[in-house]
Amino acid sequence: MKKVLIGISVILIVALAGIGIFVATFDIAPYKGFIISRLERMTGNKVEIGRLSLKWKNGILLGVEDFKMYTKPVGNRTASLTFDSANALVEPAALLMRRVPISSLDIYNGTIRFQDMATEPASDITIRKIEAKINNISDAGAMRFTVKMAPVSADQNMLLSGTAGGFVSGSPFIRDCDIKADLAAIDHNELEKAFPVLQKLGLAPGLAGELAVKIRELEFSKGKISKLSADISLSRGKIVIVSLKAPVDNINLSVSAEGNSATVNSFSAELAEGSLTLSGKSDDIFVLPKTTFRAAVEVRGVKSFISKVLARKQNMDGNMRLTFDGSMSGLSWPDISKTLSGGGEFYLDRGVVMNTNILNQTLGSLTLFPGLSDMARGYVPEPIQQAFANNDTVIEPLRQSYTIEEGYVMMPNLDLRTDTFDLRGEAKSSLTGDISGSGVIRFAQDVSAAMLKAAPEMKYITDSQGIVEFPLSFKIGENGFKAIPDMKYIGTKVAVQKAGDAVAGFIQKASESSADPGSAGISSGKFPKLKDLIKGLKDQ
């Protein structure tokens, strides 16, 4: 037994010595041209290699230094794949037979650059500082990989691990792949070069968040995605949009993708004093996304929110909650604004129209009754007098349905209430513009009574309960609320009613005069002459 062990030891020593001698004496330099030509045939691109070497580390390692691969045309001398060094595990017998089968590969300080001139503007993706370990390399089978790299970044910010294959023969695929990335390390300028579509979204520097992706299956056919099954999550995210003065912060996202569809399981984010929650589904995500979704927005302090987000003057304040169920197409805002449609409800609590007393402004716009506001104020009870004196208009809690269609927000059943009047009608607004509308304003009982005392002729625009009401149009924008009473309606109503009263009064007088003996009145069958009737109306 002792002799057997000695014999085995001698064999191992000889074998190791033989491998050492082989590695030390084998001249790999003549293989450089063979390896380059083989790679150029496989890829169809120009390849350059600085130096080849052999060394031993748990096997014979083929060392490659200063590797460059150029995409066509070669004249621009922009390398699409480079790395400082790589070690590939090879078999000694294969080297002697002028074959270089590689079973594993380690890459250090690699760079990949991909340019797609078919897009407008062109896409230019650069991935740096690649450290990769690839095992089970074969032409058709699945190889295992672990990669650290810096995509569109100066520092390593992404880790990938999984299986891939089909790059030489068949359809390229990736399976069981886990990706983790730190978005804060991304260089914004390089990101826009890599994905030009982001320029249309108006993103600004400041991207952040922890991204995690689980790719169960991803397969390509003819350069396009043919199969997709994946989950995506983002935590503590942040996006800065040029058109907004505050960042979209604290983003948390969960998305599942299957085929050409993506489902947003949950999304939440904060913007200034507001918050957004959303869920939905997009189809045709690789062509022109068509999205259906449900969203809810809450804002604590409308005036402060709009000031911080849009830097616009805003005379509306209060706490707002908005719900919306709708659909849209496209990625950029111009496309979305044209296709966005749906509906929901708008809630406003503690609402205030600031720097605008709607009551005073409306009464002041009734030019048929000069000084109406000041006169009516003297006839209302003490609590109501304060409503005339306030600079702002307090709105009772508002619950309003709305729809969005063809770029406009429609509010068909507007019901705006205060302690001095109600306004019912309809309103319309562009997605980014002022609100305009029309309706009927009805004043409270005490206010109506005061208006009638100040201007008795207003009895002609009251209902059966003595409530003053009339139609008007209005605008709400940066300058607050502007009421525009329908003066044609009011003037016509007053004139017709006064004329009717005049006729009735004249006939009444004629009727009374007919009671006298010998008078030619109505009771006698003798009516007033037309010229007398006209004269009576003129006097009235």
mmCIF file of all heavy atoms in Angstrom, residues 157-202:
data_model
loop_
_atom_site.group_PDB
_atom_site.id
_atom_site.type_symbol
_atom_site.label_atom_id
_atom_site.label_comp_id
_atom_site.label_asym_id
_atom_site.label_seq_id
_atom_site.Cartn_x
_atom_site.Cartn_y
_atom_site.Cartn_z
ATOM 1 N N ASN A 157 -22.387 50.833 -10.109
ATOM 2 C CA ASN A 157 -23.652 51.021 -9.403
ATOM 3 C C ASN A 157 -24.672 49.936 -9.716
ATOM 4 O O ASN A 157 -25.837 50.064 -9.354
ATOM 5 C CB ASN A 157 -24.255 52.383 -9.749
ATOM 6 C CG ASN A 157 -24.630 52.487 -11.219
ATOM 7 O OD1 ASN A 157 -23.973 51.912 -12.087
ATOM 8 N ND2 ASN A 157 -25.693 53.218 -11.515
ATOM 9 N N MET A 158 -24.220 48.862 -10.396
ATOM 10 C CA MET A 158 -25.158 47.810 -10.769
ATOM 11 C C MET A 158 -24.515 46.442 -10.630
ATOM 12 O O MET A 158 -23.336 46.252 -10.974
ATOM 13 C CB MET A 158 -25.650 48.009 -12.206
ATOM 14 C CG MET A 158 -26.698 46.989 -12.653
ATOM 15 S SD MET A 158 -27.379 47.328 -14.299
ATOM 16 C CE MET A 158 -28.379 48.778 -13.953
ATOM 17 N N LEU A 159 -25.285 45.491 -10.116
ATOM 18 C CA LEU A 159 -24.852 44.100 -9.973
ATOM 19 C C LEU A 159 -25.874 43.211 -10.661
ATOM 20 O O LEU A 159 -27.078 43.314 -10.405
ATOM 21 C CB LEU A 159 -24.736 43.723 -8.492
ATOM 22 C CG LEU A 159 -24.452 42.254 -8.182
ATOM 23 C CD1 LEU A 159 -23.078 41.856 -8.717
ATOM 24 C CD2 LEU A 159 -24.537 41.994 -6.677
ATOM 25 N N LEU A 160 -25.382 42.311 -11.543
ATOM 26 C CA LEU A 160 -26.237 41.370 -12.246
ATOM 27 C C LEU A 160 -25.743 39.954 -12.015
ATOM 28 O O LEU A 160 -24.521 39.711 -11.980
ATOM 29 C CB LEU A 160 -26.247 41.628 -13.763
ATOM 30 C CG LEU A 160 -26.701 42.973 -14.309
ATOM 31 C CD1 LEU A 160 -25.568 43.976 -14.300
ATOM 32 C CD2 LEU A 160 -27.232 42.799 -15.729
ATOM 33 N N SER A 161 -26.663 39.023 -11.907
ATOM 34 C CA SER A 161 -26.304 37.607 -11.843
ATOM 35 C C SER A 161 -27.447 36.802 -12.419
ATOM 36 O O SER A 161 -28.621 37.113 -12.183
ATOM 37 C CB SER A 161 -26.023 37.173 -10.403
ATOM 38 O OG SER A 161 -27.163 37.320 -9.593
ATOM 39 N N GLY A 162 -27.096 35.774 -13.204
ATOM 40 C CA GLY A 162 -28.133 34.951 -13.811
ATOM 41 C C GLY A 162 -27.543 34.032 -14.851
ATOM 42 O O GLY A 162 -26.343 33.729 -14.836
ATOM 43 N N THR A 163 -28.379 33.562 -15.777
ATOM 44 C CA THR A 163 -27.935 32.711 -16.873
ATOM 45 C C THR A 163 -28.320 33.349 -18.190
ATOM 46 O O THR A 163 -29.317 34.080 -18.287
ATOM 47 C CB THR A 163 -28.558 31.308 -16.778
ATOM 48 O OG1 THR A 163 -29.996 31.428 -16.809
ATOM 49 C CG2 THR A 163 -28.158 30.617 -15.495
ATOM 50 N N ALA A 164 -27.516 33.073 -19.222
ATOM 51 C CA ALA A 164 -27.762 33.622 -20.552
ATOM 52 C C ALA A 164 -27.213 32.677 -21.589
ATOM 53 O O ALA A 164 -26.373 31.812 -21.294
ATOM 54 C CB ALA A 164 -27.126 35.003 -20.689
ATOM 55 N N GLY A 165 -27.678 32.825 -22.812
ATOM 56 C CA GLY A 165 -27.186 31.967 -23.886
ATOM 57 C C GLY A 165 -27.792 32.345 -25.213
ATOM 58 O O GLY A 165 -28.512 33.347 -25.345
ATOM 59 N N GLY A 166 -27.494 31.509 -26.236
ATOM 60 C CA GLY A 166 -28.047 31.718 -27.560
ATOM 61 C C GLY A 166 -27.429 32.847 -28.342
ATOM 62 O O GLY A 166 -27.988 33.271 -29.346
ATOM 63 N N PHE A 167 -26.249 33.325 -27.911
ATOM 64 C CA PHE A 167 -25.648 34.471 -28.597
ATOM 65 C C PHE A 167 -24.957 34.083 -29.896
ATOM 66 O O PHE A 167 -24.822 34.904 -30.794
ATOM 67 C CB PHE A 167 -24.652 35.161 -27.673
ATOM 68 C CG PHE A 167 -25.288 35.701 -26.419
ATOM 69 C CD1 PHE A 167 -25.130 35.067 -25.211
ATOM 70 C CD2 PHE A 167 -26.083 36.832 -26.470
ATOM 71 C CE1 PHE A 167 -25.734 35.554 -24.055
ATOM 72 C CE2 PHE A 167 -26.686 37.332 -25.333
ATOM 73 C CZ PHE A 167 -26.522 36.690 -24.113
ATOM 74 N N VAL A 168 -24.497 32.829 -30.002
ATOM 75 C CA VAL A 168 -23.820 32.366 -31.217
ATOM 76 C C VAL A 168 -24.813 31.682 -32.144
ATOM 77 O O VAL A 168 -24.857 31.940 -33.340
ATOM 78 C CB VAL A 168 -22.662 31.423 -30.863
ATOM 79 C CG1 VAL A 168 -22.005 30.880 -32.136
ATOM 80 C CG2 VAL A 168 -21.636 32.140 -30.004
ATOM 81 N N SER A 169 -25.626 30.807 -31.590
ATOM 82 C CA SER A 169 -26.645 30.117 -32.382
ATOM 83 C C SER A 169 -27.970 30.165 -31.633
ATOM 84 O O SER A 169 -28.013 30.075 -30.415
ATOM 85 C CB SER A 169 -26.235 28.659 -32.626
ATOM 86 O OG SER A 169 -26.079 27.965 -31.402
ATOM 87 N N GLY A 170 -29.054 30.338 -32.356
ATOM 88 C CA GLY A 170 -30.362 30.411 -31.728
ATOM 89 C C GLY A 170 -30.715 31.840 -31.359
ATOM 90 O O GLY A 170 -30.102 32.803 -31.812
ATOM 91 N N SER A 171 -31.716 31.995 -30.491
ATOM 92 C CA SER A 171 -32.190 33.313 -30.061
ATOM 93 C C SER A 171 -31.559 33.673 -28.721
ATOM 94 O O SER A 171 -31.635 32.881 -27.769
ATOM 95 C CB SER A 171 -33.716 33.316 -29.924
ATOM 96 O OG SER A 171 -34.325 33.010 -31.158
ATOM 97 N N PRO A 172 -30.938 34.835 -28.603
ATOM 98 C CA PRO A 172 -30.347 35.234 -27.320
ATOM 99 C C PRO A 172 -31.406 35.271 -26.217
ATOM 100 O O PRO A 172 -32.536 35.693 -26.447
ATOM 101 C CB PRO A 172 -29.793 36.637 -27.605
ATOM 102 C CG PRO A 172 -29.614 36.683 -29.084
ATOM 103 C CD PRO A 172 -30.708 35.851 -29.652
ATOM 104 N N PHE A 173 -31.019 34.831 -25.017
ATOM 105 C CA PHE A 173 -31.965 34.817 -23.912
ATOM 106 C C PHE A 173 -31.242 35.083 -22.599
ATOM 107 O O PHE A 173 -30.031 34.890 -22.467
ATOM 108 C CB PHE A 173 -32.697 33.467 -23.829
ATOM 109 C CG PHE A 173 -31.791 32.304 -23.507
ATOM 110 C CD1 PHE A 173 -31.475 31.986 -22.184
ATOM 111 C CD2 PHE A 173 -31.244 31.526 -24.518
ATOM 112 C CE1 PHE A 173 -30.640 30.923 -21.886
ATOM 113 C CE2 PHE A 173 -30.399 30.456 -24.231
ATOM 114 C CZ PHE A 173 -30.104 30.153 -22.910
ATOM 115 N N ILE A 174 -32.019 35.555 -21.627
ATOM 116 C CA ILE A 174 -31.553 35.736 -20.252
ATOM 117 C C ILE A 174 -32.622 35.136 -19.347
ATOM 118 O O ILE A 174 -33.820 35.389 -19.538
ATOM 119 C CB ILE A 174 -31.354 37.223 -19.908
ATOM 120 C CG1 ILE A 174 -30.262 37.835 -20.792
ATOM 121 C CG2 ILE A 174 -30.990 37.390 -18.439
ATOM 122 C CD1 ILE A 174 -30.113 39.341 -20.605
ATOM 123 N N ARG A 175 -32.194 34.360 -18.353
ATOM 124 C CA ARG A 175 -33.144 33.730 -17.442
ATOM 125 C C ARG A 175 -32.644 33.827 -16.006
ATOM 126 O O ARG A 175 -31.439 33.868 -15.754
ATOM 127 C CB ARG A 175 -33.359 32.253 -17.804
ATOM 128 C CG ARG A 175 -33.947 32.025 -19.186
ATOM 129 C CD ARG A 175 -34.377 30.590 -19.417
ATOM 130 N NE ARG A 175 -34.851 30.389 -20.770
ATOM 131 C CZ ARG A 175 -34.234 29.675 -21.692
ATOM 132 N NH1 ARG A 175 -33.100 29.065 -21.388
ATOM 133 N NH2 ARG A 175 -34.734 29.546 -22.895
ATOM 134 N N ASP A 176 -33.607 33.837 -15.099
ATOM 135 C CA ASP A 176 -33.311 33.839 -13.654
ATOM 136 C C ASP A 176 -32.241 34.875 -13.309
ATOM 137 O O ASP A 176 -31.275 34.592 -12.611
ATOM 138 C CB ASP A 176 -32.860 32.448 -13.198
ATOM 139 C CG ASP A 176 -33.932 31.404 -13.450
ATOM 140 O OD1 ASP A 176 -35.116 31.738 -13.266
ATOM 141 O OD2 ASP A 176 -33.595 30.275 -13.848
ATOM 142 N N CYS A 177 -32.455 36.068 -13.804
ATOM 143 C CA CYS A 177 -31.470 37.135 -13.634
ATOM 144 C C CYS A 177 -31.941 38.121 -12.566
ATOM 145 O O CYS A 177 -33.088 38.576 -12.579
ATOM 146 C CB CYS A 177 -31.256 37.864 -14.956
ATOM 147 S SG CYS A 177 -30.131 39.272 -14.863
ATOM 148 N N ASP A 178 -31.051 38.427 -11.633
ATOM 149 C CA ASP A 178 -31.321 39.430 -10.599
ATOM 150 C C ASP A 178 -30.457 40.659 -10.863
ATOM 151 O O ASP A 178 -29.245 40.531 -11.082
ATOM 152 C CB ASP A 178 -31.019 38.879 -9.210
ATOM 153 C CG ASP A 178 -32.010 37.811 -8.792
ATOM 154 O OD1 ASP A 178 -33.215 38.106 -8.825
ATOM 155 O OD2 ASP A 178 -31.596 36.695 -8.448
ATOM 156 N N ILE A 179 -31.075 41.822 -10.818
ATOM 157 C CA ILE A 179 -30.372 43.077 -11.054
ATOM 158 C C ILE A 179 -30.643 44.018 -9.889
ATOM 159 O O ILE A 179 -31.792 44.201 -9.486
ATOM 160 C CB ILE A 179 -30.826 43.744 -12.368
ATOM 161 C CG1 ILE A 179 -30.642 42.784 -13.550
ATOM 162 C CG2 ILE A 179 -30.065 45.046 -12.607
ATOM 163 C CD1 ILE A 179 -31.227 43.317 -14.851
ATOM 164 N N LYS A 180 -29.603 44.624 -9.367
ATOM 165 C CA LYS A 180 -29.736 45.645 -8.342
ATOM 166 C C LYS A 180 -28.925 46.862 -8.772
ATOM 167 O O LYS A 180 -27.784 46.721 -9.218
ATOM 168 C CB LYS A 180 -29.257 45.121 -6.987
ATOM 169 C CG LYS A 180 -30.129 44.009 -6.424
ATOM 170 C CD LYS A 180 -29.662 43.576 -5.044
ATOM 171 C CE LYS A 180 -30.581 42.488 -4.490
ATOM 172 N NZ LYS A 180 -30.160 42.049 -3.131
ATOM 173 N N ALA A 181 -29.524 48.037 -8.634
ATOM 174 C CA ALA A 181 -28.850 49.241 -9.107
ATOM 175 C C ALA A 181 -29.146 50.420 -8.191
ATOM 176 O O ALA A 181 -30.241 50.540 -7.637
ATOM 177 C CB ALA A 181 -29.289 49.574 -10.532
ATOM 178 N N ASP A 182 -28.140 51.296 -8.058
ATOM 179 C CA ASP A 182 -28.268 52.552 -7.319
ATOM 180 C C ASP A 182 -28.416 53.676 -8.348
ATOM 181 O O ASP A 182 -27.450 54.054 -9.014
ATOM 182 C CB ASP A 182 -27.035 52.768 -6.440
ATOM 183 C CG ASP A 182 -27.095 54.088 -5.680
ATOM 184 O OD1 ASP A 182 -28.165 54.738 -5.697
ATOM 185 O OD2 ASP A 182 -26.078 54.466 -5.077
ATOM 186 N N LEU A 183 -29.612 54.217 -8.490
ATOM 187 C CA LEU A 183 -29.874 55.208 -9.529
ATOM 188 C C LEU A 183 -29.206 56.552 -9.253
ATOM 189 O O LEU A 183 -29.006 57.349 -10.167
ATOM 190 C CB LEU A 183 -31.383 55.417 -9.689
ATOM 191 C CG LEU A 183 -32.203 54.167 -10.027
ATOM 192 C CD1 LEU A 183 -33.661 54.549 -10.253
ATOM 193 C CD2 LEU A 183 -31.645 53.448 -11.237
ATOM 194 N N ALA A 184 -28.838 56.800 -8.004
ATOM 195 C CA ALA A 184 -28.224 58.085 -7.670
ATOM 196 C C ALA A 184 -26.862 58.260 -8.336
ATOM 197 O O ALA A 184 -26.394 59.386 -8.506
ATOM 198 C CB ALA A 184 -28.087 58.225 -6.156
ATOM 199 N N ALA A 185 -26.224 57.149 -8.709
ATOM 200 C CA ALA A 185 -24.893 57.233 -9.306
ATOM 201 C C ALA A 185 -24.934 57.491 -10.812
ATOM 202 O O ALA A 185 -23.892 57.690 -11.435
ATOM 203 C CB ALA A 185 -24.119 55.940 -9.033
ATOM 204 N N ILE A 186 -26.105 57.507 -11.411
ATOM 205 C CA ILE A 186 -26.227 57.678 -12.856
ATOM 206 C C ILE A 186 -25.900 59.113 -13.268
ATOM 207 O O ILE A 186 -26.319 60.075 -12.621
ATOM 208 C CB ILE A 186 -27.651 57.306 -13.323
ATOM 209 C CG1 ILE A 186 -27.840 55.789 -13.214
ATOM 210 C CG2 ILE A 186 -27.919 57.778 -14.746
ATOM 211 C CD1 ILE A 186 -29.223 55.317 -13.582
ATOM 212 N N ASP A 187 -25.128 59.250 -14.342
ATOM 213 C CA ASP A 187 -24.806 60.558 -14.906
ATOM 214 C C ASP A 187 -25.953 60.984 -15.830
ATOM 215 O O ASP A 187 -26.288 60.290 -16.793
ATOM 216 C CB ASP A 187 -23.494 60.481 -15.693
ATOM 217 C CG ASP A 187 -23.081 61.822 -16.266
ATOM 218 O OD1 ASP A 187 -23.595 62.176 -17.342
ATOM 219 O OD2 ASP A 187 -22.265 62.507 -15.630
ATOM 220 N N HIS A 188 -26.562 62.139 -15.547
ATOM 221 C CA HIS A 188 -27.767 62.542 -16.267
ATOM 222 C C HIS A 188 -27.513 62.747 -17.762
ATOM 223 O O HIS A 188 -28.333 62.336 -18.606
ATOM 224 C CB HIS A 188 -28.314 63.838 -15.665
ATOM 225 C CG HIS A 188 -29.547 64.332 -16.360
ATOM 226 N ND1 HIS A 188 -30.786 63.751 -16.208
ATOM 227 C CD2 HIS A 188 -29.717 65.361 -17.246
ATOM 228 C CE1 HIS A 188 -31.665 64.394 -16.954
ATOM 229 N NE2 HIS A 188 -31.049 65.370 -17.581
ATOM 230 N N ASN A 189 -26.410 63.371 -18.120
ATOM 231 C CA ASN A 189 -26.111 63.619 -19.536
ATOM 232 C C ASN A 189 -25.973 62.315 -20.305
ATOM 233 O O ASN A 189 -26.473 62.182 -21.429
ATOM 234 C CB ASN A 189 -24.841 64.460 -19.672
ATOM 235 C CG ASN A 189 -25.036 65.878 -19.163
ATOM 236 O OD1 ASN A 189 -26.137 66.420 -19.216
ATOM 237 N ND2 ASN A 189 -23.966 66.482 -18.663
ATOM 238 N N GLU A 190 -25.287 61.333 -19.696
ATOM 239 C CA GLU A 190 -25.124 60.051 -20.365
ATOM 240 C C GLU A 190 -26.440 59.284 -20.423
ATOM 241 O O GLU A 190 -26.694 58.541 -21.370
ATOM 242 C CB GLU A 190 -24.058 59.215 -19.653
ATOM 243 C CG GLU A 190 -22.653 59.759 -19.811
ATOM 244 C CD GLU A 190 -21.598 58.695 -19.578
ATOM 245 O OE1 GLU A 190 -21.941 57.497 -19.643
ATOM 246 O OE2 GLU A 190 -20.439 59.053 -19.332
ATOM 247 N N LEU A 191 -27.285 59.476 -19.421
ATOM 248 C CA LEU A 191 -28.588 58.817 -19.423
ATOM 249 C C LEU A 191 -29.436 59.298 -20.593
ATOM 250 O O LEU A 191 -30.099 58.496 -21.266
ATOM 251 C CB LEU A 191 -29.303 59.089 -18.096
ATOM 252 C CG LEU A 191 -30.689 58.463 -17.935
ATOM 253 C CD1 LEU A 191 -30.589 56.945 -17.905
ATOM 254 C CD2 LEU A 191 -31.361 58.981 -16.668
ATOM 255 N N GLU A 192 -29.422 60.593 -20.853
ATOM 256 C CA GLU A 192 -30.199 61.133 -21.970
ATOM 257 C C GLU A 192 -29.631 60.683 -23.310
ATOM 258 O O GLU A 192 -30.378 60.497 -24.274
ATOM 259 C CB GLU A 192 -30.249 62.655 -21.901
ATOM 260 C CG GLU A 192 -31.163 63.189 -20.810
ATOM 261 C CD GLU A 192 -31.438 64.671 -20.953
ATOM 262 O OE1 GLU A 192 -30.606 65.363 -21.575
ATOM 263 O OE2 GLU A 192 -32.489 65.126 -20.460
ATOM 264 N N LYS A 193 -28.307 60.506 -23.388
ATOM 265 C CA LYS A 193 -27.717 59.985 -24.618
ATOM 266 C C LYS A 193 -28.137 58.534 -24.845
ATOM 267 O O LYS A 193 -28.379 58.110 -25.973
ATOM 268 C CB LYS A 193 -26.191 60.073 -24.556
ATOM 269 C CG LYS A 193 -25.630 61.478 -24.615
ATOM 270 C CD LYS A 193 -24.111 61.445 -24.539
ATOM 271 C CE LYS A 193 -23.518 62.848 -24.555
ATOM 272 N NZ LYS A 193 -22.031 62.820 -24.443
ATOM 273 N N ALA A 194 -28.216 57.777 -23.750
ATOM 274 C CA ALA A 194 -28.572 56.366 -23.859
ATOM 275 C C ALA A 194 -30.044 56.183 -24.211
ATOM 276 O O ALA A 194 -30.406 55.301 -24.991
ATOM 277 C CB ALA A 194 -28.240 55.642 -22.555
ATOM 278 N N PHE A 195 -30.898 57.016 -23.621
ATOM 279 C CA PHE A 195 -32.347 56.897 -23.840
ATOM 280 C C PHE A 195 -32.900 58.265 -24.235
ATOM 281 O O PHE A 195 -33.418 59.005 -23.397
ATOM 282 C CB PHE A 195 -33.029 56.368 -22.576
ATOM 283 C CG PHE A 195 -32.460 55.068 -22.078
ATOM 284 C CD1 PHE A 195 -31.573 55.056 -21.011
ATOM 285 C CD2 PHE A 195 -32.789 53.867 -22.695
ATOM 286 C CE1 PHE A 195 -31.038 53.867 -20.551
ATOM 287 C CE2 PHE A 195 -32.260 52.673 -22.242
ATOM 288 C CZ PHE A 195 -31.385 52.668 -21.171
ATOM 289 N N PRO A 196 -32.799 58.624 -25.513
ATOM 290 C CA PRO A 196 -33.232 59.952 -25.963
ATOM 291 C C PRO A 196 -34.694 60.255 -25.660
ATOM 292 O O PRO A 196 -35.067 61.424 -25.545
ATOM 293 C CB PRO A 196 -32.978 59.900 -27.477
ATOM 294 C CG PRO A 196 -31.928 58.847 -27.658
ATOM 295 C CD PRO A 196 -32.202 57.837 -26.598
ATOM 296 N N VAL A 197 -35.540 59.220 -25.524
ATOM 297 C CA VAL A 197 -36.955 59.448 -25.241
ATOM 298 C C VAL A 197 -37.145 60.192 -23.924
ATOM 299 O O VAL A 197 -38.137 60.891 -23.728
ATOM 300 C CB VAL A 197 -37.723 58.107 -25.222
ATOM 301 C CG1 VAL A 197 -37.304 57.259 -24.036
ATOM 302 C CG2 VAL A 197 -39.229 58.348 -25.197
ATOM 303 N N LEU A 198 -36.171 60.067 -23.016
ATOM 304 C CA LEU A 198 -36.276 60.737 -21.721
ATOM 305 C C LEU A 198 -36.223 62.258 -21.865
ATOM 306 O O LEU A 198 -36.720 62.981 -21.001
ATOM 307 C CB LEU A 198 -35.161 60.259 -20.792
ATOM 308 C CG LEU A 198 -35.196 58.773 -20.406
ATOM 309 C CD1 LEU A 198 -34.024 58.434 -19.512
ATOM 310 C CD2 LEU A 198 -36.509 58.443 -19.710
ATOM 311 N N GLN A 199 -35.617 62.740 -22.954
ATOM 312 C CA GLN A 199 -35.577 64.178 -23.179
ATOM 313 C C GLN A 199 -36.981 64.730 -23.372
ATOM 314 O O GLN A 199 -37.281 65.849 -22.954
ATOM 315 C CB GLN A 199 -34.708 64.485 -24.403
ATOM 316 C CG GLN A 199 -33.253 64.045 -24.259
ATOM 317 C CD GLN A 199 -32.431 64.307 -25.507
ATOM 318 O OE1 GLN A 199 -32.787 65.152 -26.321
ATOM 319 N NE2 GLN A 199 -31.337 63.584 -25.683
ATOM 320 N N LYS A 200 -37.871 63.942 -24.000
ATOM 321 C CA LYS A 200 -39.255 64.382 -24.206
ATOM 322 C C LYS A 200 -40.016 64.436 -22.889
ATOM 323 O O LYS A 200 -40.981 65.177 -22.769
ATOM 324 C CB LYS A 200 -39.947 63.433 -25.183
ATOM 325 C CG LYS A 200 -39.346 63.417 -26.578
ATOM 326 C CD LYS A 200 -40.114 62.483 -27.496
ATOM 327 C CE LYS A 200 -39.524 62.470 -28.898
ATOM 328 N NZ LYS A 200 -40.277 61.556 -29.792
ATOM 329 N N LEU A 201 -39.590 63.632 -21.916
ATOM 330 C CA LEU A 201 -40.270 63.634 -20.625
ATOM 331 C C LEU A 201 -39.834 64.804 -19.755
ATOM 332 O O LEU A 201 -40.436 65.057 -18.714
ATOM 333 C CB LEU A 201 -39.991 62.311 -19.889
ATOM 334 C CG LEU A 201 -40.515 61.044 -20.570
ATOM 335 C CD1 LEU A 201 -40.147 59.817 -19.745
ATOM 336 C CD2 LEU A 201 -42.016 61.121 -20.762
ATOM 337 N N GLY A 202 -38.774 65.505 -20.161
ATOM 338 C CA GLY A 202 -38.345 66.689 -19.419
ATOM 339 C C GLY A 202 -37.677 66.373 -18.099
ATOM 340 O O GLY A 202 -37.829 67.120 -17.133
#
